[in-house]
Amino acid sequence: MTNFLSLADVTDLDALIQSGRDAKTNPFTDQHLGKNKTIGLLFFNSSLRTRLSTQKAAQNLGLNVITMNVGQDSWGLEMEEGVIMDSDKAEHVREAAAVIGRYCDIIGIRAFAGLQDRELDYKEQVMNQFAKYANVPIVNLESATRHPLQSLADCITIEEAKTKARPKVVLTWLPHFKPLPQAVANSFCEWMNARAHSGDVEFVVTHPKGYELAPEFVGNARIIYNQDEAFEGADFIYGKNWSSYTHYGQVLTKDPSWAVTMDDIRRSDNGKFMHCLPVRRNLKVSDQVLDSPHSLVIEQAANREWSAQAVLKEILKSL
Ligand code: AN0
Ligand code: CP
């Protein structure tokens, strides 16, 4: 593996999931792999789990870690080519990426969607510009349209917790008053569609009308607009808010009936609740669900360390 930008960079998904589970059992067996090598973690946006779990995974592999909040600790970076740089961005990505690539053997980047310009966001400019100019492997720590390290952790969590060979996994939209990116939902669809294709899960998506995700992500997933119907027989309920893709970046409804409560869990097949976190309690999901044995959110976040370790190990082996 050279870059880890999306599922397309994964050659053997089963093996990658297993590698994460092996790292969880034996975290330090590959400590030699990263010796005298450095990973740089660049954050254009806030993070708790991604920042700490990726740093921890890197350290488990013997890597040195340097971290920077771009635009706060560093200069603001211009991503457009050929422009007169008279805005507030003092440095161009061409130099910045090339320079950071001289200090680091791997670069991880978090850069969310702006949610103003769909074409710009879906072009993945930040990831692609770094991939073009850094000359070292790039790891997606949540980009404008994807969050693949999250999806890998989600696959690991489902494998660990499933009680049947082909569990029913339901992605549900949750209410929120702020527009959030589609990245987590997009990636979850991308990865679950692959798991469904290999016969490992049954995958259903439920959301209010107007919250249809981009066709290239939702693929052949079954859409059921009635949430109660979608939850029938569910083994995993995966909650996430996202803003509209069709009415780009807009909040079309805040309907509180879409929040997940114990009534929804009762409708499922003794289902487990998943969420990438951070989650707003009692807005998106009730205290009762989060504090019950049905919630997998802490284990899911813990698995971020092992998903990052599986990916970094693959990249280190290719260096
Ligand atoms: C971000 C999002 O929805 O993409 C990060 C989730 C991992 N969440 C928020 O901005 C609250
Ligand atoms: N799930 C996740 O990526 O969390 P952070 O935004 O805190 O990194």
Side-chain angles (χ1 to χ4, degrees):
M1 189 185 288
T2 42
N3 292 320
F4 181 71
L5 299 177
S6 78
L7 181 65
D9 295 309
V10 177
T11 44
D12 186 340
L13 178 50
D14 283 318
L16 197 64
I17 293 170
Q18 191 54 49
S19 169
R21 296 185 72 181
D22 292 345
K24 189 171 186 171
T25 315
N26 291 304
F28 306 118
T29 46
D30 297 304
Q31 268 217 315
H32 59 282
L33 272 181
K35 191 174 156 49
N36 296 332
K37 294 198 164 61
T38 298
I39 184 168
L41 303 177
L42 307 182
F43 288 88
F44 290 75
N45 309 94
S46 306
S47 168
L48 185 152
R49 279 143 291 274
T50 305
R51 183 164 179 153
L52 298 182
S53 65
T54 310
Q55 180 159 351
K56 183 86 186 306
Q59 287 167 350
N60 292 345
L61 291 164
L63 278 158
N64 297 314
V65 184
I66 51 182
T67 305
M68 195 166 71
N69 297 318
V70 180
Q72 290 172 263
D73 303 339
S74 74
W75 309 106
L77 298 186
E78 177 61 58
M79 296 291 159
E80 288 293 335
E81 304 283 355
V83 292
I84 298 171
M85 286 176 55
D86 59 359
S87 80
D88 56 348
K89 311 270 171 56
E91 179 155 19
H92 201 277
V93 66
R94 288 177 85 120
E95 284 78 42
V99 168
I100 297 166
R102 298 291 287 268
Y103 304 145
C104 300
D105 302 277
I106 305 172
I107 302 174
I109 304 166
R110 163 163 287 200
F112 289 175
L115 297 177
Q116 302 297 321
D117 179 340
R118 184 169 95 176
E119 206 182 319
L120 181 68
D121 287 344
Y122 275 68
K123 185 162 95 171
E124 288 288 12
Q125 193 179 40
V126 178
M127 290 295 141
N128 290 333
Q129 290 291 65
F130 270 91
K132 192 166 169 190
Y133 295 119
N135 288 309
V136 296
I138 303 296
V139 177
N140 184 340
L141 304 179
E142 187 174 338
S143 67
T145 70
R146 289 181 171 94
H147 195 359
L149 281 178
Q150 181 66 51
S151 305
L152 177 55
D154 300 338
C155 288
I156 293 170
T157 307
I158 290 169
E159 278 307 299
E160 284 177 339
K162 72 181 185 187
T163 55
K164 48 184 92 144
R166 190 166 168 267
K168 178 175 173 182
V169 179
V170 182
L171 168 65
T172 182
W173 179 90
L174 303 176
H176 192 18
F177 52 86
K178 268 173 53 178
L180 294 188
Q182 293 112 28
V184 171
N186 282 346
S187 265
F188 192 69
C189 286
E190 191 163 61
W191 289 61
M192 280 303 120
N193 279 330
R195 299 301 282 157
H197 187 72
S198 55
D200 291 289
V201 301
E202 175 193 349
F203 184 48
V204 170
V205 183
T206 183
H207 54 70
K209 291 245 162 77
Y211 281 93
E212 290 75 14
L213 292 162
E216 66 263 35
F217 288 103
V218 82
N220 293 325
R222 191 165 159 221
I223 313 292
I224 301 178
Y225 289 102
N226 182 318
Q227 194 193 42
D228 288 353
E229 189 189 327
F231 284 167
E232 273 169 31
D235 298 290
F236 295 92
I237 292 177
Y238 191 105
K240 182 71 186 86
N241 169 267
W242 62 87
S243 59
S244 176
Y245 172 76
T246 44
H247 300 79
Y248 194 64
Q250 289 183 32
V251 174
L252 307 177
T253 176
K254 299 170 200 164
D255 183 354
S257 75
W258 280 82
V260 172
T261 66
M262 283 308 288
D263 284 342
D264 297 307
I265 301 293
R266 281 188 277 272
R267 205 164 275 119
S268 72
D269 188 5
N270 199 24
K272 300 288 189 192
F273 178 77
M274 296 178 70
H275 189 284
C276 64
L277 304 181
V279 72
R280 290 179 184 251
R281 283 174 169 254
N282 303 315
L283 181 73
K284 294 173 170 175
V285 53
S286 71
D287 280 340
Q288 288 74 21
V289 172
L290 282 173
D291 298 332
S292 78
H294 292 276
S295 173
L296 288 180
V297 298
I298 304 300
E299 202 55 34
Q300 196 183 345
N303 285 335
R304 290 294 308 276
E305 181 174 349
W306 316 117
S307 77
Q309 192 160 331
V311 166
L312 295 180
K313 179 179 169 178
E314 281 307 299
I315 293 175
L316 283 171
K317 284 195 316 194
S318 78
L319 288 182

